[in-house]
Amino acid sequence: MNYRPLIFILISAVALTALFVVLKPAPKSPIQQEPTVNRGKTNAAPERSARRFELVIEGGALASGPRRIEVQQGSAIEIKVITDHADELHLHGYDLKLQLTAGEPATLAFSADHSGRFGLELHHSHGEIATLEVMPTP
């Protein structure tokens, strides 16, 4: 019996498996993104490319600022929030939270890495105050 074809197939399979293991791309690890929170004034130099938005909340509703925040995917975002009562702001889809203290400005800074439409909601008031729309990069 001739074993040459069988040995050739076996060596080829081992070589292909070795090449696959060596050349396959590394899996992307999920990175837990933590928001940057600034209370009041800061001396740190702001990012030049960050898109900045200011929201003023009175009585659990948006009193001033954009109801819809529209940005391109990959943009650096800073959302400054001023409220007349203590609450917690949630950015759904990104799972980011920001503690709000009455009369003190707070800033949520993050990178808009996920495309889609995401609600900005006050936790205790259970009201959506704005929507973040992240447009996919072309």
Side-chain angles (χ1 to χ4, degrees):
M1 183 163 183
N2 189 359
Y3 291 106
R4 278 184 195 225
L6 183 60
I7 292 172
F8 177 75
I9 292 172
L10 183 62
I11 291 173
S12 297
V14 170
L16 287 174
T17 302
L19 283 172
F20 174 76
V21 169
V22 170
L23 298 176
K24 75 176 181 177
K28 292 184 179 180
S29 63
I31 298 173
Q32 202 64 338
Q33 185 174 355
E34 291 295 322
T36 302
V37 178
N38 296 321
R39 299 239 180 247
K41 294 182 180 178
T42 178
N43 293 332
E47 266 188 57
R48 291 177 201 243
S49 62
R51 300 275 317 268
R52 292 175 181 83
F53 303 92
E54 184 172 310
L55 305 177
V56 178
I57 301 167
E58 293 175 356
L62 185 65
S64 174
R67 184 156 302 282
R68 185 177 75 178
I69 299 171
E70 192 173 310
V71 298
Q72 282 295 120
Q73 187 175 7
S75 298
I77 308 297
E78 290 182 6
I79 302 174
K80 180 179 175 183
V81 182
I82 302 169
T83 183
D84 61 352
H85 68 285
D87 210 323
E88 185 176 80
L89 181 74
H90 287 189
L91 176 55
H92 293 285
Y94 281 80
D95 295 325
L96 298 178
K97 299 174 184 178
L98 179 64
Q99 289 296 327
L100 302 174
T101 304
E104 288 186 28
T107 301
L108 182 65
F110 62 98
S111 178
D113 295 329
H114 311 296
S115 64
R117 178 180 279 174
F118 309 97
L120 280 159
E121 179 183 72
L122 293 175
H123 180 66
H124 300 298
S125 302
H126 300 291
E128 186 170 289
I129 58 164
T131 303
L132 172 67
E133 290 187 17
V134 181
M135 305 302 169
T137 53

